[in-house]
Amino acid sequence: MSTSELAVSYAALILADEDIDITADKLQTLISAAKLTDVEPIWTTLFAKALAGKNVKDMLLNVGSGGGAAAAAPTGGASGATAAADAPVEKEEEKKEEEKEESDEDMGFGLFD
């Protein structure tokens, strides 16, 4: 990451911490107050547009929570039968994926031909 990117990132974090809207002008003001003269205005504009309407604090708190939650494991006797019935379906899906990979080789050319 360049010095310009870091400066704008830190300025955005400062504004977010103070619950101030992140705009290009406010980012540039903070950067100027830090006496950083080599930051091009395009960086402040890009960051302001990227963070417009977003809650930066929530983004930081939810960094590790990407993706959906995993399904709960079945418990009890009745659910065990359901899990056993779902197992063959997964194997069929794996076979279909393998067949697709093999069909690429039948196209008459390869990566190193």
Side-chain angles (χ1 to χ4, degrees):
M1 211 179 234
S2 70
T3 305
S4 298
E5 291 175 74
L6 282 173
V8 179
S9 297
Y10 289 141
L13 289 172
I14 290 169
L15 291 174
D17 190 46
E18 295 297 321
D19 292 325
I20 300 172
D21 289 334
I22 299 172
T23 64
D25 293 333
K26 291 177 184 174
L27 290 170
Q28 192 63 45
T29 302
L30 275 174
I31 292 168
S32 298
K35 298 179 183 168
L36 294 170
T37 57
D38 61 338
V39 178
E40 296 178 17
I42 188 70
W43 289 111
T44 56
T45 305
L46 285 172
F47 273 72
K49 286 183 180 180
L51 298 173
K54 295 186 175 60
N55 189 340
V56 177
K57 288 182 181 179
D58 285 343
M59 287 175 25
L60 290 173
L61 292 174
N62 295 323
V63 169
S65 64
T75 57
S79 298
T82 304
D86 290 341
V89 175
E90 292 176 9
K91 290 180 182 177
E92 289 176 13
E93 289 176 6
E94 290 177 12
K95 289 180 183 177
K96 288 180 185 177
E97 289 177 15
E98 290 176 9
E99 289 175 7
K100 288 180 184 177
E101 291 175 7
E102 292 174 5
S103 66
D104 291 343
E105 295 173 2
D106 296 334
M107 294 180 76
F109 60 91
L111 181 63
F112 298 107
D113 288 342

